[in-house]
Amino acid sequence: MVREGKYRIDTEKDRINRSGLIKQMDRKLKEYQILFFAAGAGSGKTTAAVLFLKYFLKKQPKAKAAYYIFDENDNTPGFLLAGIHHLLEKIKGKKLSSADNLRDEFSLFLKEMEEENQVLFIFDHIETMENLENIRQMKLFFEYLPKQCKIILLGRRLEPEAFLEMIYSGRAAAISGEELLFSKREIVEFFQKKQKKITAFAADELYQYTGGWPGACEQLTFRENSVGYSPYFFIQMKEQIWGCLPKREREILMYSCVFPFVTGDFYRKVLNLPIEEETLYRLEITGLLRKEAKKGYVPVPFLKTFLQREDMLPEEKSLILFQRKAADWYEKHLFLQEMFLSVEQIGKRELAAAMAQYAKKMVRNIPLASIRRYLELIAEYPDGKSADWGNVDEKNLDGQNIDLWFLKGYVAVRDQDWAVVEQAEQILLHSYENAENEARKREIVTYYRNLTFLDSRIEITKWLEETATQWEGGELSLFTFSYGSPALNCGIRDFAPLFSGKIKEERMYEKYWNEIMDEPGRIALEMIKSFYYIQTERGSQVIENLSALAARVQTVQSGELLIGMYALMSYFQRMGTQYQFEAELEEIRSQIDKMHDPGIHRICEVLELYTRKSRGIEDDLGRWILYEAPEEREEELAENHYLYYLKARGYFILKQYKRADNLFKKLADYYEKMNLTQFAADCLFGQAASLYETGDKNQALILATKGLTLGMKYRYIEIYCHYGTAGLELIENYQKMMGIELGTKKQYYYGNVLRANYEGYQSILLRCAKREQRKILRSEKEEKQHSQLTITELTVLQYINGGASNEEISEKMNIKLPTVKTHVYNIFRKLGTNSRVQAVNEAKEKGLL
């Protein structure tokens, strides 16, 4: 039952499926009796409450509910007691005896209330409650609350203050404004519900602008796939959100829009403001601040736009002192990217000095686009002598310029600007030859060997031999192994030449490497070799040493090595071998979660998606591609090449072959230019398989031939085996075209494909492709079988949709209760869900209901 005040709260218009939020509310109300919603206007509080009210009554047909909306008229003494009496009468459905206090009121109510009946009270606009007597009565109401009664409180702020004690003491839970935000998928559904078309690009633009704030999405309209900003929303925000905040909280929000992120300690140490974490938590609950994992608080995106529009942000000149202190604070806490963002506001000289100091760490911790922008900002050196990198006097290079030239060479490598790369290498080498002391020589040669290591035109064997000659004593540290790619053997360069020759040569190269490198470098080589062995069907030589290698990785705290180890172990988990690494994977994931690198977190989440064994992966993969995967922009290919590769693979799995073809082509061109043989061959073959599926078999065979020929040099096998029937038929057609005749007798090469002759390699390749194709077909068949509901299961699902319990279904269908439970379990399994609500929603999406 719903009592409506002056605000309407129940309408079917624009309602979308928010099953995740409803599940979150249900879970919290099972643990707590009271649930707070405290978020600003337009945050979706009331909608969520009404959706949950319907879910609650549908799930428990015998349950009772009442909805109460406060307004300014409710602040007269004694009004609350009368209002609660009115609610109890509505729940019971008849007149009740009136009492003078809440304790007696509940006693009269419970005498006629069945013990098993659940009761839900929803109180909206509690921020308007100011009368102290009413607040005291409400607290008593909470204390006398019977165990079968639940309460949801809705307000624009965590007020009255007296109610906060219940959260801090653990009696109540809270749903924050951030939990109410729309995801990108929900934004699309929201506009579809309003019968408006919205592209994925426009949804992403809207999400970036609003942060998913429901009221902002409601007020903003779309014109030609771009966001049109509604002035009405800013008026609403100024009056109903910003205008309701105390002065101190406004000050907090203004500064939070200036700095990358803030914490209580940041405010105290940098801004000299006595801000406690409790105050930030209150703003987090209201949804105006969002908590970033492992960092601090950031404002909801549209807040900065609003403050800029109203000219409320602090002036840049007044912030210089604070920016210096902020940079020191971020540096002290190892947040390098945030430190550089603060230093950037101070000036070119300070930015150049910071880049010189952290040049080695920037390669691994700062996005390529940021480094490129910083170099453009300081194009004129701090001494003011030259604004042209190419005209720097090589004889007078100081230490700072050497650091910057290394960074310039690094960016040029990523951009494939080989002329600048060669210039940077020559300047570093010239500086090394003219260095005055050994310490200086050692510093410069470290930069030089790292830059030439990044230069993939230099074959790894040649680089290693030259380094062994030039490097004298000590351990060499490589600043990066992979550009963020878990496949370390082809993240920067192809390491296959180290392992594809004779055993004697392989051992020699490993000896050189281990004598030169530090511990992370030695670990990296072991992982690189493991990846190569997997690609050449020698995984059995790797798997038994993985646990020991994982233990070594965890001692060096390198994000690149952690994500590489995670990918390595995930591969064997996905293949379903007898070796399982759940404990090691969990430990590695926990260490990754503690790191500040969002790029590593992002790759880890996608790898989890690809290695998941549960059903319904296609749906999750589709959601990731549509809402989370990077946009296919050419200029960002070097930054996100591995995520683009996973996206192309995802397109193929989802049978979106034209999109897969387009993205594989871009990737193949990139990897060929970077001399990364494994990925180039893989993407060429992936493009061929995509074209084959669309019917362009002649062009597919041409590309497959190019891909197979390229990868044959290092005897790659696994990369050609995950494209199903299309991949298998391409291999068979290639072998037929080349006149390759394979004997029927199986040949053995002692687990090393490099020992096989040409025909032997082709035989192993075909056999492995057939094996993987059978796995894919078997998986698709099982998926199809498991996804088909029987007539009985569909009938049970219909009853579940009607809100019937297992006992009621048993009675209506005249079957035993254990049989009903078995049918419900099978429905969950086939639909890939975990609850009755999820099953109904999934069935509706599939058209089963």
Side-chain angles (χ1 to χ4, degrees), residues 52-67:
F52 184 80
L53 178 63
K54 293 184 175 182
Y55 161 81
F56 178 81
L57 295 175
K58 194 172 185 179
K59 181 181 177 184
Q60 304 177 77
K62 295 182 180 181
K64 304 291 183 179
Y67 199 117

Side-chain angles (χ1 to χ4, degrees), residues 139-195:
K139 290 187 68 178
L140 288 174
F141 177 73
F142 298 151
E143 292 177 8
Y144 300 152
L145 199 66
K147 64 180 181 180
Q148 71 267 36
C149 294
K150 304 289 185 179
I151 285 185
I152 294 178
L153 300 173
L154 310 176
R156 293 183 181 174
R157 303 189 66 250
L158 274 176
E159 299 289 358
E161 184 76 26
F163 294 167
L164 295 178
E165 299 173 3
M166 292 182 294
I167 293 181
Y168 301 145
S169 64
R171 287 191 58 210
I175 292 287
S176 70
E178 183 174 1
E179 292 173 280
L180 294 169
L181 300 178
F182 283 157
S183 65
K184 293 180 186 177
R185 175 183 60 81
E186 288 172 329
I187 288 176
V188 173
E189 290 181 3
F190 180 76
F191 277 85
Q192 288 174 343
K193 193 79 173 180
K194 295 171 74 72
Q195 298 182 342

